[in-house]
């Protein structure tokens, strides 16, 4: 039975281009999941966009001598182009500076306020002495007062996981310029997180055995010290506070993390409007049978396993103070928070300022998009921190994509095209033929079970086990040596081509570009797996901007489909380029240069 599945993808921040560490956390995993779910017959809505508010945008804009909007416009387009080139199949990738987003964010705020879960409070805010601007919590670092970790941020300590306020840090300094912040009294709106302690605990406990252990453990640990959190900032760049007396204040805006998480909902509503059915979003957000999966890096767990569920609960009227759902109606909580760990690069933490980085655009100018997707799938930070090295990238490209997968595709299709010109007919099967075909068919439910639980490495390895066994099958059957039995040659090559077709399907979520090529090589017509497109659209205020969208209703289905004898074949083109070993030295020189 078909299900509605929301794929909610973390919003990349529009203060610069994204690097491969970013897309290993939110981008490629979410796309693998979405492509599989579509192939399995489910109705997927994959949404995200660029996160464009907050002090970091303003700081970067000042550094570049442009306005915050000009900076956001520039990097929104860069990020859109990069994610589309990587093949990420968003139904809508938008941005947080749209009229629609402002309206939805303000509606969620008003619903929480009306239910009593947001209240004003005078607090101590961190101010830059040199600029007079508010410093965001994450831009203040110091020593954690709880565990003593030197490098805790002003919102939480990554070492012990406890929530913090900047004023609690020992020896706090600004990450922007190293100065010691001033703390001054300011009035802000606070989210009453303690009012959700009981319902959050019950909800999280119900996820035992379903969520990744690292995510659930971290989320449950946070419940021990729930404190009210500020949902507004002293800033002139962001969503205005939708209350009389606050709306027109020039230096009060909603916290960027408040408006960013609401983006999943606002993007769904924007998608529905653009689809011609303004209420279509409700099937993913209000149907009790619908599922929702949120993809991000582990530094964002607190906002998706605690803050966002609390906002939804409060809007629904489900906290300690009860209440009524807002005008949009009751909204579904996340089914799963799928957090990846961190990717480092050649043993060092990614750092744009220190040039320990390779941006997505630079990578794709030199290498195949599917090669990066494959590396992330099999060697990425799925459940533990992992290190990207150029030597491993080279070995996986040449040893696995080229020598194993590309070799099977090339020699199978080449021999069939040369000897028959078409997919040859299947004759009498030997035990070896049957075993190979059964092994390939058995991979579908095995890989599906892994993909359902977001275990992308296991699913990809299952497909490659089939590929390795198929290469072994061909080596043992040696059709090139059989001179007097064309029917036997035809059968062997038919079996090999069936495995190529099956493996193409198994790998479509991970390698959509090359799977499309194989589909065409085997005589397929029309679209196999749809690819994302960039469209220029106009907002209500007349501003034009790019979005990623697409039609993903191709022929791809999660099943082994018998190939048709007699289908014409042409000699294949290489599936992946073999990389020269000198790229390792060249890339390390760039990295160290």
């Amino acid at each position: 039975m078909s299900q509605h599945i929301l794929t909610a993808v973390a919003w990349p921040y529009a203060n610069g281009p994204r690097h491969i560490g970013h897309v290993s956390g939110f981008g490629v995993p979410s796309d693998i999941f979405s492509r599989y779910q579509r192939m399995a017959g489910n109705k997927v809505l994959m949404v995200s966009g660029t996160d464009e508010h907050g002090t970091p945008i303003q700081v970067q804009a000042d550094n570049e001598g442009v306005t915050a909007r000009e900076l956001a416009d520039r990097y929104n387009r860069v990020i859109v182009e990069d994610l589309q080139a990587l093949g990420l199949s968003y139904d809508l990738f938008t941005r947080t500076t749209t009229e629609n987003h402002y309206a939805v964010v303000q509606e969620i705020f008003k619903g929480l306020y009306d239910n009593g879960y947001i209240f004003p409070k005078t607090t101590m805010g961190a101010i830059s002495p040199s600029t007079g601007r508010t410093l965001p919590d994450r831009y203040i670092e110091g020593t954690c007062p709880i565990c003593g970790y030197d490098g805790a941020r002003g919102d939480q300590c990554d070492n012990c996981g406890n929530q913090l306020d900047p004023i609690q840090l020992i020896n706090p300094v600004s990450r922007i310029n190293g100065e010691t912040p001033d703390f001054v009294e300011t009035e802000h709106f606070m989210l009453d997180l303690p009012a959700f302690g009981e319902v959050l605990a019950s909800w999280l406990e119900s996820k035992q055995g379903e969520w990744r252990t690292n995510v659930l453990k971290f989320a449950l640990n946070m419940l021990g010290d729930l404190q009210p959190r500020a949902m507004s900032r002293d800033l002139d760049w962001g969503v205005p506070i939708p209350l009389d007396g606050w709306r027109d204040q020039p230096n009060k805006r909603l916290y960027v993390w408040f408006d960013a998480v609401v983006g999943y909902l606002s993007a769904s509503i924007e998608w529905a409007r653009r689809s011609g059915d303004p209420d279509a979003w409700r099937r993913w957000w209000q149907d009790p049978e619908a599922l929702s999966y949120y993809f991000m890096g582990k530094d964002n767990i607190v906002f998706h396993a605690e803050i966002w569920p609390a906002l939804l609960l409060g809007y629904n009227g489900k906290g300690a103070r009860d209440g009524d759902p807002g005008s949009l109606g009751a909204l579904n909580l996340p089914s799963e928070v799928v957090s990846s760990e961190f990717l480092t690069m050649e043993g060092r933490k990614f750092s744009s300022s220190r040039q320990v980085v390779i941006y997505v655009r630079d990578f794709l100018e030199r290498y195949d998009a599917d090669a990066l997707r494959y590396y992330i799938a099999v060697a990425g930070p799925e459940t533990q921190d992992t290190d990207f090295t150029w030597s491993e990238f080279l070995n996986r490209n040449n040893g696995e994509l080229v020598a194993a997968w590309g070799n099977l595709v090339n020699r199978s299709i080449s021999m069939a095209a040369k000897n028959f010109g078409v997919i040859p007919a299947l004759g009498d099967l030997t035990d070896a033929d049957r075993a190979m075909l059964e092994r390939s068919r058995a991979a579908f439910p095995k890989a599906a079970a892994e993909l359902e639980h977001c275990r992308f490495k296991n699913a990809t390895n299952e497909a490659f086990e089939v590929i390795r066994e198929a290469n072994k099958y061909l080596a043992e059957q040696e059709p090139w040596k059989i001179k007097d039995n064309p029917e036997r040659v035809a059968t062997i090559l038919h079996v090999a081509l069936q495995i190529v077709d099956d493996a193409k399907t198994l790998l479509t979520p991970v390698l959509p570009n090359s799977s499309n090529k194989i589909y065409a090589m085997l005589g397929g017509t029309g679209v196999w797996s749809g690819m994302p497109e960039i469209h220029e659209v106009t907002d209500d205020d007349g501003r034009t901007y790019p979005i990623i969208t697409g039609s993903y209703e191709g022929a791809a289905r999660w099943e082994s489909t018998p190939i048709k004898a007699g289908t014409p074949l042409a000699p294949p083109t290489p599936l992946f380029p073999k990389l020269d070993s000198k790229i390792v030295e060249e890339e390390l020189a760039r990295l160290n240069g």
Side-chain angles (χ1 to χ4, degrees):
M1 182 178 176
S2 178
Q3 280 189 300
H4 286 82
I5 295 178
L6 175 72
T7 305
V9 191
W11 292 58
Y13 207 51
N15 64 338
R18 300 299 88 185
H19 56 63
I20 64 171
H22 292 132
V23 296
S24 71
F26 73 83
V28 173
S30 62
D31 188 58
I32 294 173
F33 179 79
S34 296
R35 287 182 179 276
Y36 160 72
Q37 292 291 354
R38 293 189 188 105
M39 292 172 72
N42 292 314
K43 300 182 186 302
V44 173
L45 179 59
M46 178 174 167
V47 294
S48 186
T50 43
D51 181 4
E52 301 181 3
H53 292 127
T55 304
I57 294 285
Q58 187 65 65
V59 169
Q60 185 65 23
D62 290 346
N63 290 340
E64 297 189 20
V66 298
T67 67
R69 185 172 293 280
E70 287 171 335
L71 184 89
D73 284 346
R74 181 200 313 163
Y75 288 120
N76 162 260
R77 188 168 295 276
V78 168
I79 292 169
V80 161
E81 291 173 353
D82 289 353
L83 300 186
Q84 185 268 341
L86 194 53
L88 305 187
S89 58
Y90 292 100
D91 292 281
L92 179 66
F93 184 92
T94 180
R95 59 195 306 185
T96 58
T97 49
T98 67
E99 294 290 318
N100 167 76
H101 179 70
Y102 276 46
V104 176
V105 169
Q106 291 176 333
E107 165 59 25
I108 297 298
F109 180 91
K110 287 187 291 184
L112 286 156
Y113 181 80
D114 290 345
N115 283 337
Y117 295 110
I118 283 184
F119 59 92
K121 180 183 178 182
T122 299
T123 65
M124 301 300 290
I127 302 294
S128 166
S130 60
T131 68
R133 285 201 179 114
T134 299
L135 289 169
D137 295 349
R138 287 194 158 201
Y139 270 58
I140 303 171
E141 288 186 348
T143 301
C144 176
I146 299 171
C147 71
Y149 175 66
D150 185 17
R153 298 193 309 263
D155 58 349
Q156 72 182 50
C157 175
D158 286 337
N159 186 56
C160 65
N162 283 288
Q163 298 175 59
L164 299 171
D165 285 322
I167 200 168
Q168 294 177 278
L169 293 174
I170 300 168
N171 299 322
V173 295
S174 166
R175 288 175 53 196
I176 297 172
N177 56 20
E179 64 187 6
T180 300
D182 289 336
F183 290 95
V184 299
E185 282 193 351
T186 183
E187 190 171 24
H188 281 301
F189 282 96
M190 312 294 288
L191 174 65
D192 189 3
L193 272 177
F196 302 104
E198 186 175 335
V199 66
L200 277 175
S202 177
W203 174 67
L204 287 169
E205 289 290 350
S206 73
K207 303 301 180 182
Q208 294 280 3
E210 297 178 14
W211 288 19
R212 290 178 177 175
T213 303
N214 61 321
V215 179
L216 189 58
K217 182 179 179 181
F218 186 92
L220 287 169
N221 285 343
M222 291 188 297
L223 296 178
D225 185 34
L226 291 181
Q227 302 291 332
R229 290 191 68 149
M231 291 290 111
S232 58
R233 286 290 185 267
D234 294 306
L235 187 65
D236 60 2
W237 177 241
V239 180
I241 298 170
L243 296 175
D244 291 341
W246 293 83
R247 192 186 309 271
D248 299 324
Q249 287 198 37
N251 293 310
K252 291 287 185 182
R253 292 293 184 268
L254 292 178
Y255 181 29
V256 64
W257 264 108
F258 182 96
D259 93 76
V261 291
V262 177
Y264 303 117
L265 176 61
S266 71
S268 301
I269 292 173
E270 181 185 343
W271 166 84
R273 176 171 57 82
R274 295 190 182 283
S275 75
D277 181 1
D279 286 326
W281 64 272
R282 297 183 186 276
R283 298 170 196 141
W284 283 269
W285 283 92
Q286 294 180 322
D287 182 346
E289 299 300 317
L291 300 174
S292 54
Y293 295 79
Y294 290 72
F295 288 83
M296 77 223 58
K298 68 178 177 181
D299 54 335
N300 291 340
I301 293 176
V302 63
F303 297 102
H304 293 82
E306 181 183 86
I307 304 296
W308 180 227
L311 298 182
L312 290 167
L313 288 164
Y315 186 81
N316 294 345
K318 295 295 184 181
R321 293 190 178 84
D322 296 324
D324 298 311
S327 64
L328 293 174
L331 304 167
N332 292 343
L333 268 66
S335 301
E336 184 168 354
V337 173
V338 187
S339 169
S340 298
E341 300 292 294
F342 288 147
L343 185 72
T344 55
M345 187 169 187
E346 296 289 348
R348 289 180 280 175
K349 184 178 180 180
F350 276 94
S351 171
S352 298
S353 61
R354 298 183 180 91
Q355 295 301 304
V356 183
V357 69
I358 179 166
Y359 295 111
V360 172
R361 176 160 302 194
D362 294 337
F363 193 105
L364 297 184
E365 283 179 354
R366 301 196 286 275
Y367 307 106
D368 192 284
D370 275 7
L372 176 56
R373 292 173 63 104
Y374 177 73
Y375 186 99
I376 291 171
V378 298
E382 187 173 295
T383 56
Q384 62 183 14
D385 292 351
T386 55
D387 191 40
F388 176 92
T389 68
W390 285 107
S391 59
E392 184 176 5
F393 173 72
L394 173 75
N395 291 337
R396 288 192 179 276
N397 184 88
N398 290 355
E400 295 167 16
L401 292 179
V402 176
W405 182 214
N407 180 51
L408 177 65
V409 172
N410 185 71
R411 63 176 177 166
S412 299
I413 298 178
S414 293
M415 284 188 287
K418 178 181 178 181
N419 288 281
F420 301 97
V422 298
I423 294 178
L426 192 64
D428 294 334
L429 298 177
T430 66
D431 289 345
D433 301 335
R434 291 190 189 90
M436 189 65 252
L437 291 169
E438 289 171 3
R439 173 67 184 91
S440 186
R441 285 192 293 267
F444 283 86
K446 290 181 180 179
E450 302 294 349
L451 290 166
E452 292 282 356
H453 292 90
C454 302
R455 295 190 289 258
F456 308 118
K457 179 177 181 178
N458 290 349
T460 308
N461 286 341
E462 177 67 21
F464 264 77
E465 283 298 314
V466 173
I467 290 166
R468 281 185 274 270
E469 291 185 33
N471 276 317
K472 182 181 177 183
Y473 165 82
L474 271 181
E476 291 174 346
Q477 299 304 312
E478 299 181 317
W480 52 87
K481 289 187 177 181
I482 301 174
K483 306 300 182 184
D484 56 353
N485 192 345
E487 181 179 324
R488 179 60 191 152
V489 174
T491 297
I492 294 169
L493 293 179
H494 186 104
V495 169
L497 292 175
Q498 181 65 63
I499 306 310
V500 166
D501 191 69
D502 285 354
K504 168 265 298 176
T505 302
L506 290 165
L507 287 171
T508 294
V510 180
L511 308 175
N513 296 286
S514 51
S515 293
N516 282 333
K517 293 177 185 177
I518 296 168
Y519 177 70
M521 288 180 195
L522 292 174
T525 57
V527 176
W528 170 248
S529 185
M531 299 301 290
E533 302 170 353
I534 297 175
H535 292 185
E536 298 290 330
V537 298
T538 302
D539 198 12
D540 294 338
D541 62 0
R543 192 166 51 112
T544 299
Y545 62 97
I547 62 171
I548 303 175
T549 187
S551 174
Y552 308 111
E553 298 297 318
R557 294 292 180 271
W558 191 260
E559 59 189 8
S560 173
T561 303
I563 56 176
K564 295 180 180 179
T567 302
L569 294 174
T573 55
L575 199 57
F576 296 97
K578 185 175 182 179
L579 301 176
D580 193 302
S581 61
K582 68 181 181 182
I583 71 149
V584 175
E585 184 177 336
E586 292 171 353
E587 294 293 353
L588 288 176
R590 286 190 182 98
L591 183 63
N592 296 323

